[in-house]
């Protein structure tokens, strides 16, 4: 294991590879590995560079690292940059390389966390080391948070910090974090290569529900009318079959239209068919568009029964509902209607959607930083379909953007394998992304 003091000599991609060698698997239900070790290593590397970071968390095993770098102008609102150090577990048999070896080969950094999101942790770290080495102070105060437990909802990471140490974020007006700012490569109708860097100005809310019912149990050969399981299934069916209305917000309209126009098409976004055709034409940039043009509700857990000839007296289901910014109350009202009176229900968790101002000088600064590394970049706003630690930090009134930049690879390599096997990220993308990030954090 290399000593933290060697961090100063490593590029962002090399730092990413180094950080992958900490197995920081988050198994959920409060079980995790390695977050303490990675936090100590980062803390030591920062200390060696002259920074006084703090290791914080509910217990030593769930350590996060937080640091405030004073800006040139301390009267300006501060900016938070956050990235999580934990990763999702691996199924080693599915991998063609060891998941925690942190190899660099064929122009890629390989291993769990290479894209989600030790690349960003490394880019932030490299930026801090560059500042220390060249005696640079950012324009405004920059608060840095390397947090534990994002992959399991952040209860022991971001949410804990927000609840127990909000003073660390005093004066922070805006944050940047996971997803957004990474290059998507497309080809226009006339063959021109396009590079789109969507910057996230919001994310859908996460409403997790448990519905449950009690009924008369008994012998499987003598079914009763009020079976708990049937009532739960019927309720889930109604929710699953419901067609959530198409909702094209200004942000999502701009996202789709900007890219479709750049491809050389004529987007017609006033009808459902027109929207669907545009999204279809966006290729890989269309996947996220699909998730942010409507709300979704999915039954993910069903629990009932112990034996085939026994009618269960109780049953439960869990549902994962995602609502677009501005629709939360309406979605809850619709769910109440769909659920009806046949079953009981409650929220397992309720995290409201997050949005950040757009247009804004913050957004302009992110766009400008990307353009320093890729002069032809197209930078539309986007929303995220899922959730990140932004949900926790937004509780403090912080406006959260998704901006974890990665540039395009000149040989066409692409990041891949997030949450799956053979996770990898091009070396060039990480190092280019780090330059974007440093440009932004220094000058914003
Ligand atoms: Zn992540």
């Amino acid at each position: 294991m290399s000593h933290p003091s060697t961090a100063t000599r490593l590029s962002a991609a090399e730092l990413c590879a180094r950080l992958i060698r900490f197995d920081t698997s988050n198994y959920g239900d409060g079980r995790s590995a390695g977050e303490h070790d990675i936090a100590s290593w980062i803390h030591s590397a920062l200390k060696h560079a002259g920074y006084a970071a703090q290791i914080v968390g509910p217990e030593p095993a769930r350590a996060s690292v937080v640091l405030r770098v004073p800006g040139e102008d301390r009267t300006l609102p501060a900016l938070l940059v956050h990235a999580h150090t934990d990763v999702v577990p691996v199924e080693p048999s599915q991998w063609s390389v060891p998941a925690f070896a942190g190899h660099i080969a064929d122009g890629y950094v390989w291993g769990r966390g290479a894209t989600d999101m030790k690349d960003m942790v490394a880019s932030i770290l490299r930026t801090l080391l560059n500042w220390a080495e060249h005696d640079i102070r950012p324009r405004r105060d920059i608060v840095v948070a390397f947090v534990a437990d994002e992959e399991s909802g952040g209860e022991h990471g971001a949410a804990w910090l927000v609840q127990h140490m909000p003073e660390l974020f005093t004066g922070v007006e805006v944050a940047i974090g996971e997803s957004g700012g990474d290059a998507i490569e497309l080809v226009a109708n006339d063959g021109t290569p396009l590079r789109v860097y969507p910057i996230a100005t919001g994310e859908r809310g996460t409403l997790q529900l448990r519905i449950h019912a009690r009924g008369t149990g008994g012998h499987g050969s003598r079914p009763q009318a009020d079976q708990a399981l049937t009532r739960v299934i019927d309720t889930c069916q109604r929710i699953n079959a419901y067609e959530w209305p198409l909702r094209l917000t200004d942000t999502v309209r701009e996202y789709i239209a900007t890219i479709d126009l750049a491809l050389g098409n004529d987007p017609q976004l006033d009808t459902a068919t027109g929207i669907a055709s545009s999204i279809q034409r966006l290729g890989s940039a269309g996947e996220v568009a699909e998730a942010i043009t409507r709300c979704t509700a999915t039954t993910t857990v069903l629990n009932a029964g112990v034996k085939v000839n026994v009618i269960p007296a109780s049953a439960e289901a869990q549902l994962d509902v995602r609502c677009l910014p501005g629709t939360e109350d309406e979605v809850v009202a619709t769910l109440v209607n769909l659920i009806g009176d046949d079953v009981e229900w409650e929220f397992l968790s309720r995290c409201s959607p997050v949005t950040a101002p757009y247009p804004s000088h913050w957004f302009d600064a992110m766009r400008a930083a990307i353009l320093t590394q890729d002069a032809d970049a197209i930078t539309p706003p986007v929303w995220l379909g899922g959730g990140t630690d932004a949900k926790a930090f937004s509780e403090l009134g912080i406006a959260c953007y998704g901006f974890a930049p990665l540039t395009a690879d000149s040989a066409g390599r692409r990041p891949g394998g997030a949450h799956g096997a053979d996770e990898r990220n091009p070396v060039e993308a990480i190092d280019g992304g780090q330059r974007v990030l440093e440009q932004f954090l220094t000058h914003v």
Side-chain angles (χ1 to χ4, degrees):
M1 283 280 176
S2 52
H3 190 268
S5 63
T6 59
T8 46
R9 299 198 300 269
L10 304 180
S11 68
E14 288 165 342
L15 279 168
C16 178
R18 177 65 193 83
L19 296 169
I20 287 169
R21 285 174 223 152
F22 293 98
D23 173 354
T24 53
S25 296
N26 189 336
Y27 300 99
D29 295 328
R31 292 190 309 122
S32 72
E35 288 164 343
H36 172 266
D37 294 344
I38 199 170
S40 303
W41 195 89
I42 292 171
H43 182 266
S44 299
L46 290 173
K47 191 172 170 193
H48 185 79
Y51 291 106
Q54 293 184 62
I55 296 187
V56 291
E59 50 177 302
R62 308 313 303 265
S64 297
V65 180
V66 181
L67 165 72
R68 181 180 288 253
V69 184
E72 293 278 3
D73 183 351
R74 304 211 67 185
T75 64
L76 293 173
L79 179 126
L80 165 68
V81 52
H82 58 95
H84 64 85
T85 58
D86 63 323
V87 296
V88 292
V90 296
E91 282 184 88
S93 62
Q94 304 299 308
W95 286 63
S96 65
V97 295
F100 297 105
H103 282 317
I104 295 181
D106 308 322
Y108 287 102
V109 176
W110 295 84
R112 174 59 85 228
T115 67
D116 184 10
M117 62 178 303
K118 287 177 174 171
D119 52 337
M120 176 72 161
V121 174
S123 287
I124 299 169
L125 194 52
R126 185 63 258 165
T127 299
L128 291 167
L129 297 173
N130 286 349
W131 284 347
E133 195 179 328
H134 303 290
D135 230 351
I136 292 166
R137 271 177 81 168
R139 180 162 167 259
R140 65 180 71 239
D141 275 20
I142 302 292
V143 177
V144 178
F146 299 111
V147 296
D149 199 31
E150 192 274 344
E151 296 291 1
S152 190
E155 188 192 337
H156 307 283
W160 187 89
L161 288 172
V162 163
Q163 211 179 349
H164 297 275
M165 303 189 80
E167 68 280 3
L168 292 172
F169 308 100
T170 305
V172 173
E173 187 174 301
V174 153
I176 60 165
E178 185 151 22
S179 293
D182 52 327
I184 301 174
E185 290 172 83
L186 301 172
V187 179
N189 298 343
D190 65 1
T192 315
L194 300 178
R195 287 175 306 282
V196 181
Y197 295 72
I199 298 171
T201 61
E203 58 185 54
R204 294 198 298 178
T206 307
L207 314 177
Q208 290 168 342
L209 264 59
R210 173 176 175 264
I211 64 176
H212 46 104
R214 299 202 151 272
T216 312
H219 200 286
S221 67
R222 307 259 177 86
Q224 311 275 340
D226 73 329
Q227 283 187 46
L229 181 54
T230 315
R231 276 150 52 209
V232 167
I233 290 174
D234 288 350
T235 309
C236 290
Q237 277 287 46
R238 277 198 300 281
I239 297 172
N240 293 345
Y242 181 72
E243 206 168 308
W244 295 89
L246 185 67
R247 190 67 60 86
L248 196 66
T249 60
D250 289 348
T251 303
V252 180
R253 177 183 290 270
E254 182 173 345
Y255 176 76
I256 297 172
T258 303
I259 304 172
D260 206 13
L261 274 170
L263 289 168
N265 300 314
D266 177 21
Q268 302 290 331
L269 302 180
D270 294 323
T271 63
T273 334
I275 295 167
S277 324
S278 264
I279 292 177
Q280 189 83 41
R281 293 193 292 261
L282 303 191
S284 52
E287 284 161 27
V288 66
E290 207 57 77
I292 52 178
T293 45
R294 58 179 86 234
C295 306
T296 52
T298 317
T299 306
T300 47
V301 174
L302 196 55
N303 283 323
V306 288
K307 197 165 181 295
V308 69
N309 59 354
V310 179
I311 295 171
S314 65
E316 73 147 20
Q318 294 178 15
L319 292 102
D320 188 357
V321 182
R322 306 297 174 121
C323 60
L324 291 166
T327 66
E328 184 176 351
D329 292 342
E330 180 190 326
V331 166
V332 172
T334 304
L335 287 169
V336 168
N337 237 336
L338 289 168
I339 293 170
D341 300 326
D342 263 4
V343 294
E344 311 275 303
W345 72 278
E346 70 258 344
F347 284 112
L348 290 170
S349 71
R350 179 173 182 170
C351 296
S352 297
V354 165
T355 51
Y358 174 78
S360 69
H361 70 89
W362 305 99
F363 191 96
D364 293 345
M366 287 180 249
R367 176 176 278 161
I370 292 171
L371 293 173
T372 64
Q373 300 303 313
D374 189 340
D376 300 321
I378 299 163
T379 56
V382 73
W383 283 347
L384 304 178
T388 70
D389 277 338
K391 295 238 181 348
F393 291 115
S394 67
E395 298 274 306
L396 295 173
I398 298 172
C400 295
Y401 291 93
F403 188 62
L406 289 174
T407 52
D409 178 272
S410 51
R413 296 179 189 90
R414 293 285 309 138
H419 288 221
D422 287 349
E423 188 172 347
R424 62 201 176 278
N425 205 340
V427 168
E428 215 180 302
I430 299 174
D431 288 334
Q434 186 278 327
R435 290 191 292 273
V436 172
L437 184 73
E438 181 167 339
Q439 176 74 25
F440 172 73
L441 292 177
T442 309
H443 301 291
V444 65

